[in-house]
Amino acid sequence: MTLLNYVDLSNNTFDPSPSPQWFWKLPQLSALVIQSGRLYGTVPMKLFSSPQLQQVILDGNAFNGTLDLGRSISSELSMVSFKDNDFSSVTVTSSYNGTLALAGNPVCDHLPNTAYCNVTQHAPSPAYTTSLVKCFSGACPPEQSMSPQSCGCAYPYQGVMYFRAPFFADVGNGTAFQELESKLWTKLELSPGSVALQDPFFNSDSYMQVQVKLFPSGGPYFNRTEVMRIGFDLSNQTFKPPKEFGPYYFIASPYPFPDRNGPASKSKGAIIGIAVGCGVLLIALVGAAVYAFMQRRRAQKATEELGGPFASWARSEERGGAPRLKGARWFSCEELKRSTNNFAEANELGYGGYGKVYRGMLPNGQFIAIKRAQQGSMQGGHEFKTEIELLSRVHHKNLVGLVGFCFEQGEQMLVYEYMSAGTLRDSLTGKPSSRLVSSR
Ligand SMILES: Nc1ncnc2c1ncn2[C@@H]1O[C@H](COP(=O)(O)OP(=O)(O)OP(=O)(O)O)[C@@H](O)[C@H]1O
């Protein structure tokens, strides 16, 4: 606590209370600001003799009785403001040369024309703004401003300085603001005159707000390092303003670096880098497309080499490869449909455990018997393959030879040589064989 030098407790909802003891027990205190703090009673005289004290702003409270600054007023004290309190009298010695503001106290009913009671004493002159008269007139493009040093347009580093408790209330105080300008360009290592201050005013928090513009000296822009350095010095309050400005904080505006303004302002190196990168990417994409195309062609060729049925077999089968057949071939469903006139009823030869048996005729005139598996007798692909491999190997004069098979579109069909003489039973019973009904 003893190290506190700046106290601002304004606008809090404290319980109404008299002046706290610590008011005059903080040896380092330089500014005491409690506006609308619900304080009442008398103000202890000791407060004003605190050795470091420069500023007392206790507006909007309910202090009453007599305001007595005492006889040993701190030589540092320059501002005492008790506006809108209930003081009925005031005692101040001639040794005090600073500002005393008492507007809004009953005492001013008796002393309306004194400087203490002048309501407008805070703004006696127009707000200070850095002069550009030597630059004649002339407008700058958006985001640029005219430098008071070179009179040229440039991109300033700018922001707002908030002085929380300046020791003066006159926003037209040219001497103070010129001192601030000079300290800014000196401490921030800028060219003399390259600082512009604009329209200082007291905001609703009673902070003095000043728009600050700092101009580059070697061109229209600051570089990143300079912006970081200046921004750090102001934002972290490494920069110390003249004493009468008191404590402050700084809110910077974003800086419009040249690379934000589009590709035209990008460096040559960056453009070359981007172009090379795009070229490499394009070559890689073309290479990938050619490779994919070649792979597809190879896959198609391999499929064609495998042959229709075996390719189909390979697609539908996970286990095993194409069947190894002897003298039997693959038929497409379409081919067998045509040969039986779309499996016409008239071409049915019989019905066995496997399913219906149809008579058919191939385009070369060969008759065939087609055993078409019905739903219940369908085998797994692997079993079907094993069966046709086995059947294709069996050749005997008393056995019907396997001509081929069909395995696609959910069909399993075995194609045999057609026995025109019918079955053994037919021969025994003397039943004649049926006439072939062909689609042709
Ligand atoms: N190669 C063929 N040539 C002419 N007709 C045939 C031929 N194979 C079968 N058939 C006819 O189809 C009918 C059914 O034959 P299929 O061999 O399917 O029955 P199956 O003799 O009961 O034997 P399985 O029970 O093993 O299927 C036979 O009765 C016959 O009339």
Side-chain angles (χ1 to χ4, degrees), residues 73-379:
I73 299 170
S74 165
S75 58
E76 298 289 312
L77 194 62
S78 59
M79 161 69 81
V80 175
S81 180
F82 281 94
K83 287 185 286 181
D84 302 318
N85 278 274
D86 284 330
F87 289 119
S88 51
S89 59
V90 57
T91 305
V92 54
T93 61
S94 55
S95 63
Y96 178 62
N97 299 320
T99 305
L100 175 61
L102 291 173
N105 282 271
V107 66
C108 287
D109 298 341
H110 316 297
L111 308 162
N113 296 322
T114 60
Y116 310 147
C117 297
N118 189 345
V119 180
T120 59
Q121 65 174 330
H122 277 325
S125 50
Y128 176 83
T129 290
T130 305
S131 171
L132 286 169
V133 281
K134 65 166 184 169
C135 297
F136 309 107
S137 61
C140 286
E143 293 194 273
Q144 296 190 48
S145 301
M146 191 166 288
S147 164
Q149 181 240 339
S150 65
C151 290
C153 293
Y155 293 88
Y157 178 76
Q158 57 185 314
V160 177
M161 290 180 93
Y162 295 83
F163 296 100
R164 294 181 297 184
F167 302 144
F168 60 97
D170 181 6
V171 291
N173 185 340
T175 315
F177 288 110
Q178 279 161 9
E179 205 185 332
L180 176 63
E181 284 172 3
S182 135
K183 200 142 191 190
L184 279 166
W185 76 60
T186 310
K187 296 290 175 190
L188 299 177
E189 298 169 27
L190 304 170
S191 301
S194 56
V195 174
L197 304 179
Q198 257 180 317
D199 303 324
F201 69 97
F202 282 87
N203 65 21
S204 55
D205 294 325
S206 296
Y207 296 166
M208 188 174 70
Q209 246 179 267
V210 185
Q211 177 76 29
V212 181
K213 291 182 179 179
L214 309 170
F215 288 86
S217 48
Y221 286 102
F222 281 111
N223 63 34
R224 282 180 190 275
T225 317
E226 289 172 318
V227 166
M228 281 176 68
R229 177 179 57 79
I230 297 167
F232 181 87
D233 281 355
L234 287 169
S235 301
N236 292 296
Q237 290 131 34
T238 314
F239 167 77
K240 301 288 178 218
K243 207 174 168 190
E244 64 266 32
F245 282 85
Y248 76 98
Y249 64 91
F250 178 75
I251 304 290
S253 303
Y255 191 70
F257 285 107
D259 57 354
R260 263 189 26 180
N261 295 337
S265 56
K266 282 195 167 60
S267 75
K268 209 174 175 182
I271 293 169
I272 291 171
I274 291 168
V276 169
C278 288
V280 169
L281 187 68
L282 191 70
I283 291 168
L285 285 174
V286 170
V290 169
Y291 179 74
F293 179 73
M294 283 171 66
Q295 285 293 96
R296 198 173 163 193
R297 283 291 304 273
R298 281 175 60 188
Q300 271 177 358
K301 209 174 162 194
T303 303
E304 280 160 17
E305 279 169 2
L306 267 176
F310 306 128
S312 149
W313 192 288
R315 276 199 299 275
S316 57
E317 273 295 307
E318 286 178 3
R319 286 192 292 158
R324 291 182 294 278
L325 305 176
K326 281 190 172 176
R329 73 171 179 94
W330 171 80
F331 288 91
S332 71
C333 268
E334 257 332 288
E335 214 173 340
L336 296 183
K337 257 189 197 173
R338 273 200 306 272
S339 74
T340 58
N341 194 18
N342 200 17
F343 299 108
E345 209 176 310
N347 282 333
E348 285 182 19
L349 289 171
Y351 194 88
Y354 193 69
K356 282 186 178 171
V357 182
Y358 295 88
R359 177 178 41 216
M361 188 175 73
L362 295 177
N364 63 4
Q366 182 189 356
F367 290 111
I368 50 173
I370 302 160
K371 288 191 176 185
R372 189 183 190 190
Q374 61 190 8
Q375 273 308 318
S377 58
M378 288 266 195
Q379 306 169 82

Side-chain angles (χ1 to χ4, degrees), residues 349-354 357 369 371 400 416-419 423:
L349 289 171
Y351 194 88
Y354 193 69
V357 182
K371 288 191 176 185
V400 186
Y416 287 97
E417 291 166 350
Y418 176 65
M419 295 291 106
T423 61

